[in-house]
């Protein structure tokens, strides 16, 4: 079985590969290029993501491709304690219970806590676009969630080094960097971890817990390591920063692309709240931001009749779950009105289900609504060839050039081919 995640084909049209795997079978098989077991199909993906007893999260953020000895030596400095997405029971439940109390996870509580903050950040981004003619929508898709997660966590400095460090972290974990790039990325990843540690210890020693989630967690800790150690607080901040930015950025790119492919969709997003919510969910099903995710078998496991040995890496193909015709008929068609949409697994399943799903939906709906209202003439550039950053897990557009419709812009709408696959 072969995914070939760094090929041109996968970096332009991953859906074609998912369909090939689903149609040809088997849906569980060893990929010797990735040295990992590929897990495909809605039932298999759901089962593995939800089964923390047989599948471990400890290797979830280990690089998909082997790293050089030099990069590995630098990465030894990334000493973050396992928490949330990198932890297994019982540590996972303990930390998740604490964070959940401070992290709203329903639409109404997320709106109450973060609605005004997200709207303010969206307003800034839309105002920036409105003054221009030709724009790259990925600028909005990158900066908006970065600023939101910085606000939500209570991180104190400007966002520029954070962006570079996290890009390097993502490339190291899911990409296929050269040995030189690996070394730079390893330094970036360690710099990000040291930054989180310094911010947390700085607040703790100054007696000022700070704002956002950092403030909440330090107030809860109240100087007591039995409740939460400083290392755990820093690891939670690193974890949520990593989990909550590039994911939303990728999802926003996907949602904007689908929205702008047909002018009717764009117009509807401005005023039809039901359609807006469905558009976001259909984007998550059809084009999930995270479409591959690593797990490690704890023991030998039989899945779909295939035996996977203990201690084996499994790349869970979330993208194939959304394209499984057994659950979603005509899966390649983008149809926000389809049945069983709530069964997508773009936010995972079971004990590790995304803690930031409500925040992500708030960011996505607020951005689409405001852009569609204030830039009704926005169109993607006609000749644009879509391409994603090479990645085994994160599906983020490199660029989305568009015209705002202001005088001097380059408004050529892309051909809207119903049912065509991006
Ligand atoms: C569209 C955007 C997002 C997508 C597609 C996404 C996807 C996911 C997925 C698939 C998981 C499950 C991982 C697993 O099973 O191991 C997950 C977990 C998680 N997500 Fe998200 N996520 C998004 C946005 C966010 C945001 C905005 C935050 C917070 C600011 C966030 C924080 C987390 C955390 C902390 C976990 C780990 C939960 C745990 O292990 O208990 N995510 N996310």
């Amino acid at each position: 079985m072969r995914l070939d995640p760094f090929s041109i084909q996968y970096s332009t049209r991953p859906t074609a590969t998912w369909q090939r795997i689903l149609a040809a079978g088997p849906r569980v098989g060893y990929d010797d290029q990735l040295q990992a077991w590929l897990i495909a199909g809605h039932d298999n993906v759901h089962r593995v993501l939800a089964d923390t007893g047989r599948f471990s999260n400890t290797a979830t953020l280990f690089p998909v491709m082997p790293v050089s000895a030099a990069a590995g030596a630098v990465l030894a400095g990334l000493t973050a304690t396992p928490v949330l997405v990198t932890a297994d029971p019982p540590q996972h439940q303990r930390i998740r219970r604490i964070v959940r109390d401070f992290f709203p996870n329903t639409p109404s509580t997320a709106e109450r806590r973060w609605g005004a903050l997200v709207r303010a950040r969206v307003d800034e981004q839309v105002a920036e676009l409105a003054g221009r003619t030709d724009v790259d929508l990925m600028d909005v898709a990158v900066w908006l969630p970065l600023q939101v997660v910085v606000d939500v966590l209570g991180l104190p400095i400007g966002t520029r080094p954070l962006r570079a460090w996290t890009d390097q972290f993502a490339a190291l974990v899911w990409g296929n960097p050269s040995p030189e790039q690996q070394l730079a990325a390893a330094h970036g990843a360690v710099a990000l971890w040291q930054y989180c540690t310094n911010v947390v210890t700085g607040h703790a020693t100054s007696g000022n817990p700070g704002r956002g989630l950092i403030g909440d967690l330090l107030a809860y800790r109240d100087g007591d390591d039995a409740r939460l150690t400083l290392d755990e607080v820093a690891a939670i901040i690193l974890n949520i920063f990593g989990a909550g930015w590039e994911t939303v950025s990728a999802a926003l790119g996907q949602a904007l692309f689908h929205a702008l492919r047909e002018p009717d969709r764009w117009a509807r997003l401005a005023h039809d709240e039901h359609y807006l919510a469905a558009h976001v969910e259909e984007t998550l099903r059809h084009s999930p931001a995270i479409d591959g995710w690593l797990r490690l078998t704890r023991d030998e496991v039989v899945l779909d009749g295939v035996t996977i040995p203990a201690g084996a890496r499994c790349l869970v193909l979330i993208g194939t779950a959304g394209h499984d015709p057994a659950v979603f008929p005509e899966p390649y068609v983008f149809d926000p009105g389809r049945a069983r949409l709530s069964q997508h697994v773009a936010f995972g399943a079971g004990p590790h289900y995304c803690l930031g799903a409500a925040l992500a939906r708030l960011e996505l709906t607020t951005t689409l609504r405001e852009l569609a209202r204030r830039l009704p003439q926005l169109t993607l550039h006609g000749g644009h060839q879509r391409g994603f950053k090479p990645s085994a897990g994160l599906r983020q557009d490199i660029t989305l050039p568009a015209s705002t419709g202001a005088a001097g812009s380059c408004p050529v709408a892309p051909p809207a081919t119903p049912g065509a696959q991006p």
Side-chain angles (χ1 to χ4, degrees):
M1 211 165 158
R2 189 44 85 93
L3 189 70
D4 225 353
F6 311 114
S7 62
I8 292 288
Q9 162 145 42
Y10 203 73
S11 303
T12 49
R13 266 186 62 195
T15 49
T17 302
W18 302 336
Q19 281 159 32
R20 170 179 56 74
I21 289 174
L22 287 168
R27 300 184 313 159
V28 177
Y30 191 68
D31 183 326
D32 48 16
Q33 181 197 32
L34 295 175
Q35 297 177 19
W37 291 78
L38 301 182
I39 312 284
H42 189 277
D43 49 352
N44 289 333
V45 167
H46 191 282
R47 199 168 300 148
V48 173
L49 288 177
D51 187 350
T52 51
R54 295 191 302 165
F55 294 89
S56 164
N57 266 54
T58 48
T60 284
L61 293 183
F62 286 3
V64 168
M65 298 305 282
V67 291
S68 66
V74 174
L75 283 175
L78 215 171
T79 53
T81 306
V83 293
L84 297 172
V85 84
T86 53
D88 283 339
Q91 165 80 344
H92 173 253
Q93 291 105 316
R94 183 184 141 251
I95 298 289
R96 185 169 168 115
R97 224 173 288 125
I98 295 168
V99 176
R100 268 193 68 149
D101 283 348
F102 301 112
F103 214 81
N105 63 354
T106 65
S108 54
T109 53
E111 164 60 36
R112 265 203 302 282
R113 174 86 181 255
W114 296 309
L117 179 162
V118 171
R119 276 190 294 279
R121 291 303 192 185
V122 170
D123 276 351
E124 284 169 18
Q125 291 293 330
V126 176
E128 165 86 5
L129 287 193
R132 291 154 51 197
T133 51
D134 295 312
V135 295
D136 183 354
L137 295 176
M138 285 313 290
D139 287 346
V140 177
V142 164
W143 290 112
L144 177 89
L146 176 55
Q147 287 169 328
V148 168
V149 80
V150 162
D151 291 341
V152 163
L153 294 177
L155 290 170
I157 64 165
T159 48
R160 280 190 188 271
L162 292 179
R163 177 179 180 184
W165 293 335
T166 320
D167 275 346
Q168 288 172 327
F169 203 165
L172 190 67
V173 172
W174 291 304
N176 189 21
S178 67
E180 296 73 34
Q181 291 166 331
Q182 284 178 14
L183 196 56
H187 281 294
V190 172
L192 182 60
W193 165 236
Q194 282 167 351
Y195 165 79
C196 292
T197 306
N198 291 344
V199 171
V200 167
T201 47
H203 277 298
T205 49
S206 73
N208 164 18
R211 58 198 176 84
L213 187 66
I214 294 175
D216 290 337
L217 292 177
L218 288 178
Y220 167 84
R221 182 181 117 84
D222 198 18
D224 183 356
D225 280 348
R227 289 180 156 214
L228 211 49
T229 66
L230 285 181
D231 189 63
E232 284 170 337
V233 177
I236 292 168
I237 299 308
L238 175 70
N239 207 291
I240 296 186
F241 183 74
W245 166 39
E246 305 240 29
T247 49
V248 179
S249 168
L252 250 179
Q254 299 273 14
L256 284 164
F257 174 79
H258 288 298
L260 289 164
R261 289 182 80 211
E262 291 181 19
D264 285 357
R265 284 187 194 151
W266 192 241
R268 236 178 130 179
L269 288 172
H271 300 291
D272 185 339
E273 286 296 307
H274 177 75
Y275 181 78
L276 174 61
H279 179 93
V280 167
E281 297 310 309
E282 177 64 347
T283 299
L284 292 164
R285 177 206 66 86
H286 183 283
S287 310
I290 295 280
D291 52 32
W293 199 246
L294 279 181
R295 286 281 201 271
L296 199 64
T297 50
R298 288 161 170 269
D299 300 305
E300 184 178 281
V301 176
V302 178
L303 192 69
D304 236 15
V306 177
T307 302
I308 307 176
R313 294 197 316 161
C314 298
L315 185 61
V316 186
L317 301 178
I318 293 175
T320 66
H323 281 252
D324 189 338
V327 181
F328 304 110
E330 299 195 331
Y332 43 86
V333 177
F334 187 89
D335 175 14
R338 70 167 57 247
R340 302 174 76 182
L341 198 42
S342 62
Q343 291 183 26
H344 75 68
V345 287
F347 288 123
H352 286 280
Y353 183 82
C354 179
L355 264 180
L359 175 59
R361 288 181 167 120
L362 179 66
E363 292 181 69
L364 289 163
T365 51
T366 307
T367 310
L368 289 171
R369 184 193 301 113
E370 285 312 303
L371 278 174
R373 282 184 186 172
R374 287 160 59 183
L375 296 175
Q377 306 303 324
L378 193 70
T379 51
L380 288 175
H381 280 186
H384 173 58
Q385 293 292 315
R386 202 173 184 210
F388 301 101
K389 290 185 182 174
S391 176
L394 183 73
R395 209 53 47 209
Q396 192 176 24
D397 281 270
I398 296 169
T399 171
L400 277 181
S403 309
T404 59
S409 66
C410 161
V412 188
T417 316
Q421 306 150 34

